[in-house]
């Protein structure tokens, strides 16, 4: 129960983000969601895209550093307290979040998010147990 | 037949006082010979106001001017020659990686002297007449092959003049003819080790017992790996074409530094900044003076190698001074916050941490204090999309560098291929300090 995320290591320099999105655009790869973490030296771009394997291969072939990892995607009711409930479940189970970002969606009553935790397997188990809907790639 | 412990025991175990006396006598003669026959060096001496009569022994060595690599380039091709060309029988040449090639000339006596040095090195690692010596250094202009080849002949070993390359043939001869001593670069030895393993050989199924590896920097860890992979004892050898070739100094079975052939060469350690001689045990630049060479007798030649000399007694009984493995090159040396830092030390840490050797050092000065930053290209397989994990990687590199260098640089991980390269070689050091007006 996980979705594949494409991560790219970028130099913190003008034009690098455009360059990789351009490479993916030319290969007709659609980006569904994206989150950037940056430091003074580098940036890490995390992307949910269709066909992540092909996207990663193309980026590596064009001289970028890209990798694929599985992340947990879940849905919560799009209302106040929706996300807080998920976080409290994780906290009760001593699961730490490395990062989390929202998935762009067309649904009107649900919000989607993606996260990496220090223990993704347990995170998925406790969320399911508490009735949180997890997403698979075909649902997004 | 019992194996010899020394090739020339009377010289190799000579009491230190006697060695120094011998060096003094030879130095006086050599300075006179060079002054009379090498106009270029005569000019250097005249400029410094030194005459051959001022040199009474090794205590006066410091008065003589240095010879640097740039002098050899300037005098190319014949300017340092001290005998008529008709008396020369051989040339060897440097690879020219740091600029124009240097050509060194040899009389027959010079060749014999050099080969004797290599013979001492072979005996010192336990080789003798019954041994089969596989010389897999390159032959030709490079001194590695010819030097060890000649030394092996002098000892009386069966010599396999393999030269480098053609690994299948190397392994065939090594196994069919039961080579017992391997002479090559440490990196080629490692490659031969891997190839032997791939072909199903184990250390017990080959006859090698010792290896003499030089011409490249290598570490104690490399030594352990080579010893394990080939089932041998691995020994270091040092030399440079300008001084003769491999065998200027050599390691004995004590593996505690390389004995300098002091009957032929005087080794000095100097402060690379000031040129002042340093006392025994201090780290500095190694300088050689040739005492017996006829054709190309360099005096006070600056090797740019940084090392330490010791006269502590060696269990092997040789009295020759020992030099440490070169710890770096003085032309690369940086002084950062008062600490001497060599790129070779940084590279050792990066290799250990599985990092790429594509790195860049930036030094600057802010508020009278040096800043020290290292940019390291992250190998793709170590990429992790969590900032926390990458930061931890930077911290661990910083700690390892601090422990090696004594000062901790700020480590910055950057993506592969982002460090600027000029003519294929990365620009390693950017020093933005303005230390001189």
């Amino acid at each position: 129960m996980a979705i594949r995320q494409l991560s790219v290591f970028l130099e913190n320099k003008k034009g690098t983000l455009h360059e990789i999105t351009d490479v993916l655009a030319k290969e007709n790869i659609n980006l569904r969601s994206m989150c950037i973490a940056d430091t003074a030296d580098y940036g890490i771009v995390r992307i949910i895209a269709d066909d992540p394997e092909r996207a990663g291969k193309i980026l590596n072939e064009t001289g970028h550093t890209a990798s694929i990892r599985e992340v947990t995607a879940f849905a919560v009711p799009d209302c106040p307290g929706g996300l807080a409930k998920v976080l409290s479940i994780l906290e009760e189970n001593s699961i730490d979040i490395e990062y989390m970002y929202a998935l762009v969606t067309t649904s009107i009553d649900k919000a989607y998010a993606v996260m990496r935790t220090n223990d993704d397997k347990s995170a998925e188990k406790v969320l399911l147990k508490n009735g949180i809907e997890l997403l698979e790639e075909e649902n997004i | 037949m019992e194996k010899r412990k020394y090739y020339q025991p009377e010289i190799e175990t000579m009491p230190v006082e006697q060695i120094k006396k011998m060096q003094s006598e030879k130095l006086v003669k050599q300075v006179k010979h060079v002054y009379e026959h090498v106009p270029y060096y005569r000019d250097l001496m005249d400029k410094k106001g030194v005459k051959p009569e001022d040199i009474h022994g090794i205590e006066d060595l410091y008065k003589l001017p240095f010879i640097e690599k740039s002098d050899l380039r300037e005098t190319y091709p014949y300017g340092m020659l001290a005998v008529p060309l008709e008396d020369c029988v051989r040339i060897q040449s440097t690879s020219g990686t740091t600029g124009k090639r240097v050509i060194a000339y040899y009389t027959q006596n010079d060749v014999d002297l050099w080969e004797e040095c290599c013979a001492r090195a072979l005996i010192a690692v336990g080789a003798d007449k019954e041994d089969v010596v596989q010389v897999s250094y390159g032959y030709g202009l490079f001194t590695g092959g010819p030097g060890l080849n000649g030394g092996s002949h002098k000892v009386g070993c069966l010599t396999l003049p393999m030269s480098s390359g053609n690994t299948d043939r190397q392994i065939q001869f090594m196994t069919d003819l039961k080579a017992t001593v391997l002479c090559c670069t440490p990196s080629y030895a490692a490659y031969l080790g891997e190839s032997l393993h791939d072909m199903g050989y184990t250390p017990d199924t080959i006859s090698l017992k010792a290896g003499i590896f030089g011409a490249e920097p290598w570490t104690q860890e490399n030594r352990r790996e080579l010893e394990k992979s080939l089932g041998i004892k691995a020994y270091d050898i040092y030399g440079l074409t300008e001084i003769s070739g491999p065998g200027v100094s050599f390691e004995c079975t004590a593996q505690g530094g390389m004995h300098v052939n002091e009957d032929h060469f005087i080794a000095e350690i100097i402060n690379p900044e000031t040129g002042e001689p340093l006392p025994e045990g201090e780290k500095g630049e190694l300088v050689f003076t040739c005492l017996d060479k006829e054709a190309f007798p360099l005096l006070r030649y600056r090797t740019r190698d940084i090392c330490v000399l010791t006269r502590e007694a060696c269990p092997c009984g040789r009295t020759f001074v020992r030099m440490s493995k070169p710890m770096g090159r003085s032309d690369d040396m940086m002084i950062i916050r008062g600490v001497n830092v060599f790129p070779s030390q940084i590279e050792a840490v990066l290799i250990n941490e599985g990092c790429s050797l594509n790195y860049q050092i930036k030094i600057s000065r802010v508020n009278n204090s040096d800043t020290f930053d290292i940019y390291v290209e992250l190998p793709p397989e170590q990429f992790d999309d969590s900032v926390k994990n990458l930061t931890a990687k930077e911290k661990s590199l910083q700690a390892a560098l601090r422990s090696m260098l004594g000062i901790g640089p700020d480590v910055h991980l950057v993506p592969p291929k982002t460090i600027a390269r000029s003519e294929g070689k990365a620009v390693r050091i950017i020093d933005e300090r303005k230390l001189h007006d």
Side-chain angles (χ1 to χ4, degrees), chain A residues 10 17-18 20 25-26 44 49 55-56 63-64 80 86 88 107 121 131:
Chain A
L10 286 183
L17 184 59
H18 172 237
I20 60 153
K26 282 186 182 130
I44 300 168
H64 300 88
V86 170
S88 75
S107 168
K121 285 271 165 290

Side-chain angles (χ1 to χ4, degrees), chain A residues 5 7-11 37 39 41-42 44 46 63 65-67 69 98-99 116, chain B residues 375 378 380 383-391 394 412-418:
Chain A
Q5 171 194 268
S7 310
V8 193
F9 191 44
L10 286 183
E11 197 177 0
T39 72
D41 300 312
Y42 57 80
I44 300 168
R46 307 174 186 122
T65 302
S67 66
R69 70 168 297 122
E98 297 273 353
Y99 55 77
R116 174 181 172 185
Chain B
Y375 296 82
L378 182 73
F383 172 52
D384 184 296
D385 72 351
S386 143
V387 174
K388 190 172 87 183
N389 293 350
L390 287 182
T391 307
E394 286 179 335
H412 310 272
L413 292 175
V414 297
K417 301 191 199 77
T418 50

Side-chain angles (χ1 to χ4, degrees), chain B residues 65-81:
Chain B
F66 292 114
I67 296 177
E68 312 218 18
K69 193 144 200 164
S70 57
D71 294 308
L72 303 185
R73 291 193 187 122
E74 201 158 313
T75 55
Y76 177 93
Y78 297 125
M80 282 291 177
L81 201 57

